[in-house]
Amino acid sequence: MKLNFRVVDAFTGQAFAGNSAGVCLLDSAIDDSSMQNIAGEINSAETAFLLKVGDRYSLRWFTPAVEIDLCGHATLASAHVLWTENHVREGGPIYFDTKSGELTAKQLPDGWIQLNFPAITSAPIENHRLSAAI
């Protein structure tokens, strides 16, 4: 199997700093077991797998041990790769379809990347303080 893979250091402009993430661009879909095995072999904190579907990208994240539902720095790394390697039009938004819903990435005029993640709803909980005998 030939892989289109790279390691990106997110949150930094310096090599070997920041948060590293693997980014694997797929030409066609591969099974979950293969993605998990690749992530285990790469042994990065997270490996992002991207598959172009129309004008969007399917995005999944794997640690060396399990698939996870959301990873910010690997999404940032993925957007960086797509723009810098001309897979998407510079300045245009990128739409990712993930297990956490739609995520978007946008290039800002100053070169930064803005990510839009789904909101997590919250609900109040009752505080049950434990009282200890002194």
Side-chain angles (χ1 to χ4, degrees):
M1 172 186 301
K2 183 179 176 186
L3 291 178
N4 187 354
F5 174 80
R6 70 270 300 128
V7 175
V8 177
D9 294 317
F11 306 123
T12 186
Q14 183 180 358
F16 310 111
N19 289 28
S20 67
V23 178
C24 188
L25 296 170
L26 301 172
D27 292 328
S28 59
I30 61 174
D31 61 89
D32 295 1
S33 177
S34 293
M35 285 187 276
Q36 187 62 71
N37 288 332
I38 292 165
E41 182 74 17
I42 291 165
N43 202 29
S44 183
E46 281 81 23
T47 299
F49 291 87
L50 292 160
L51 178 64
K52 187 170 176 67
V53 181
D55 61 349
R56 303 170 71 86
Y57 283 86
S58 169
L59 173 58
R60 294 175 68 184
W61 308 273
F62 287 79
T63 73
V66 297
E67 182 175 12
I68 59 174
D69 291 336
L70 186 63
C71 181
H73 78 282
T75 304
L76 183 65
S78 297
H80 171 77
V81 166
L82 292 173
W83 276 312
T84 60
E85 296 182 9
N86 299 313
H87 296 281
V88 295
R89 182 179 54 82
E90 186 175 337
I94 302 172
Y95 298 97
F96 298 109
D97 294 314
T98 77
K99 288 189 172 190
S100 294
E102 180 184 84
L103 308 180
T104 58
K106 180 170 101 172
Q107 280 183 314
L108 300 178
D110 59 7
W112 288 84
I113 296 172
Q114 179 181 35
L115 300 177
N116 184 15
F117 291 103
I120 299 172
T121 57
S122 61
I125 61 168
E126 199 171 319
N127 185 0
H128 297 283
R129 289 188 138 177
L130 297 176
S131 52
I134 299 180

